[in-house]
Amino acid sequence: MKPRVALLGLTLFTLVGARPPMRYQPDPSSVFAAEIAFNRLAQEKGQWTAFRETAAEDAVMFTPQRVLAQSWLKGRADPPASVTWAPSVIAVSCDGRLAASTGNWKQPDGTVGYFTTLWRRDKKGGWKWILDHGDALATARATPEFLVGKVATCKRPAAGSPPPMPTGKPGKDGVPAPQDESLIWQADVATDGSRHVTVQMWNGSAYETVIDDRVAPSS
C-alpha cells in the first residue's frame, strides 16, 4: 500500500505544481467588501493602523507630494477618532487582479471630501491598496443611490486595428505600473502640491475615463 500512496502523492504534487496561475473573478463586490473591512478596521484599531495593515509594500500616498506609504505610516500615531468612508463607484480589470474605488469620506469634525484608492491582489488573493489619495470639499459629492460596479472587458481590438492607446501614462513617476492593460491609471503631481489622478478602463474598442480627480495646489 505504501508505494501506491507514495505514487499517488507524487502524482498530486506534479498536478499541483503544473497548474496555471490562479485566475480571479472580476467582481466589484469583493472590492466593496475590502473597503468595508478597511473602514471597520480604522474605527476599531485606529486610522493609520488600518492603513498600514492594508497597504502593499510598494503603496504610495500623497502628503501632498508622493511618498512611500509604509515609510510614512511607520510609527505614526492614530488620531483619537478615524475618518469614515464608503465607496460609490468601483472599477475592476478584466482579469480581476486590479481595481479602483472612489467615494466620499467624513471627518469626526464634520469635514467632508472624496477619496480614490487603487487595489491589487496579493500572492494570497487578498486585496491590498497600492495608491490612496483624496481631497476635502465644501460639499460632499453627489453619489448614486446604489453602488456602481464596472468591469473592463478582455476583448481585444479586431485584427488589423491599431493597438489601443490610453490618454494617460501608466506607471509614471513611481506609481506602481499596472499588470493588466484593461485598467490603467496616471498620477501627476506638481511641485506646488497639485495633482491629477485618472483611471481608465478598456471597453473593447477604446479606453474610457472612469475616475478623473484634480487636487488644487496646497496652501
Side-chain angles (χ1 to χ4, degrees):
M1 292 295 292
K2 288 184 178 180
R4 295 176 63 182
V5 172
L7 179 60
L8 177 59
L10 178 60
T11 301
L12 290 174
F13 178 80
T14 302
L15 290 174
V16 170
R19 69 184 180 182
M22 184 179 296
R23 296 182 62 85
Y24 299 100
Q25 184 70 21
D27 182 11
S29 65
S30 67
V31 185
F32 180 68
E35 282 280 8
I36 296 302
F38 184 11
N39 180 59
R40 184 183 301 115
L41 184 64
Q43 312 314 311
E44 295 176 352
K45 290 190 174 183
Q47 180 173 309
W48 299 132
T49 297
F51 271 73
R52 279 193 297 270
E53 292 187 9
T54 55
E57 288 300 317
D58 57 349
V60 295
M61 54 196 305
F62 305 88
T63 64
Q65 293 300 321
R66 181 184 286 107
V67 295
L68 188 63
Q70 291 290 12
S71 296
W72 188 85
L73 292 166
K74 185 177 181 180
R76 189 166 295 273
D78 294 313
S82 173
V83 63
T84 60
W85 67 90
S88 55
V89 178
I90 293 174
V92 184
S93 64
C94 77
D95 67 0
R97 293 177 179 271
L98 297 168
S101 59
T102 190
N104 289 338
W105 55 255
K106 185 175 183 179
Q107 292 279 12
D109 64 3
T111 304
V112 297
Y114 72 90
F115 71 91
T116 290
T117 304
L118 300 176
W119 297 86
R120 181 179 67 206
R121 296 275 191 184
D122 63 14
K123 293 180 179 180
K124 296 181 179 180
W127 288 109
K128 292 288 187 179
W129 66 267
I130 57 174
L131 184 148
D132 186 84
H133 107 109
D135 196 19
L137 298 171
T139 304
R141 285 178 172 178
T143 58
E145 184 177 358
F146 301 102
L147 177 71
V148 176
K150 299 175 178 286
V151 177
T153 181
C154 294
K155 179 182 177 183
R156 308 307 300 168
S161 299
M165 292 297 293
T167 58
K169 299 176 182 178
K172 182 181 178 182
D173 297 333
V175 177
Q179 299 177 19
D180 178 2
E181 293 180 353
S182 70
L183 190 72
I184 61 173
W185 63 87
Q186 177 181 354
D188 287 322
V189 186
T191 56
D192 61 6
S194 61
R195 61 183 176 272
H196 185 197
V197 176
T198 59
V199 177
Q200 294 177 292
M201 186 178 71
W202 177 246
N203 63 17
S205 59
Y207 280 100
E208 60 178 274
T209 300
V210 292
I211 296 175
D212 189 349
D213 297 336
R214 295 179 184 271
V215 178
S218 55
S219 56

